[in-house]
Amino acid sequence: MKFVILALFVAGAYSCGVPTNPPVLSKVVGGVDVRRNSWPWQASLQYKSGSYFYHTCGGTLISDQWVLTAAHCIGSRTYRVYLGKHDLSSNEADSIAISPERIIVHPNWDSYNIRNDIALIKLATPVKVSASITPACLPSSGEILPDNAPCYVTGWGRLWTGGPIADILQQALLPVVGHSTCSRSDWWGSLVTSSMVCAGGDGEVASCNGDSGGPLNCRNSDGSWDVHGVVSFGSSMGCNYPKKPSVFTRVSAYISWINNVMASY
């Protein structure tokens, strides 16, 4: 059973994890432009510098007023959350920018050892669920994905190491790498804990700078999508380095914390 947080947000034809314009899924290696409105829970976390806002991280809408992101994305800056975005370089009528009411970083976030890299953003006002803005579902508490499960990372991160931030939202197939493999000494070793999930690592495609905080999207048998991971870290040797898959905070390890935070604020 998957969790549907704040079920009252579901209205009409909209329900969590079900885009009205489903993504075109392929096994093409490398990121590709996404179909518009195919990942309607994808958020762009942006910081203010001078009079302008700039994309810094991704995020995932998980209810009409809460966005999931990474703790390492949060600092002392002024932020806004952009929802319903496809092209960051253009004005889009079906998108909306909302200021945070509050930001809650996990109390045990450890930036030195990269532990508990997860945060929640409460939006100042609830969003209206639509074709372009729909929450993702959360997985069951403790759920572990099987090795090689076909999941997709989405975001506006760099298209290659050192390259530019993408304007158009990208998606890439990242098969899950089991913990027993990912924690091998020639992979990530002890840096990877059981509260993380690895995906990719074939040396050809990975999340990259600017994707941080965004979702690892995994499809259920009923066609709905759960957010199983929050982009946390990758290799300093490059975004697509062999045996160094993208590492995500495993959302199913934090369901109780997420529920408690959302019930408390």
Side-chain angles (χ1 to χ4, degrees), residues 70-126:
H72 80 262
C73 291
I74 304 301
S76 57
R77 292 166 159 168
T78 298
Y79 294 99
R80 72 179 182 184
V81 176
Y82 231 123
L83 295 164
K85 288 300 292 178
H86 178 73
D87 183 348
L88 292 180
S89 66
S90 67
N91 293 320
E92 295 166 315
D94 51 357
S95 63
I96 185 171
I98 306 177
S99 298
E101 178 180 303
R102 67 174 64 237
I103 300 175
I104 301 96
V105 172
H106 195 283
N108 296 323
W109 159 232
D110 179 350
S111 60
Y112 183 79
N113 294 299
I114 319 179
R115 300 290 188 263
N116 304 301
D117 189 9
I118 192 169
L120 283 165
I121 300 172
K122 185 178 184 181
L123 304 176
T125 55

Side-chain angles (χ1 to χ4, degrees), residues 34-37 84-88 92 156 167-169:
V34 309
R35 187 180 186 183
R36 188 179 293 274
N37 297 337
K85 288 300 292 178
H86 178 73
D87 183 348
L88 292 180
E92 295 166 315
W156 291 275
D167 287 330
I168 305 296
L169 184 62

Side-chain angles (χ1 to χ4, degrees), residues 1-4 138-141 143 220 226:
M1 182 183 76
K2 56 180 171 287
F3 286 78
V4 181
L138 294 179
S140 301
S141 182
E143 183 177 351
N220 296 299
D226 290 348

Side-chain angles (χ1 to χ4, degrees), residues 211-225:
D211 288 327
S212 287
L216 181 67
N217 307 280
C218 308
R219 190 163 56 171
N220 296 299
S221 57
D222 65 359
S224 64
W225 293 85

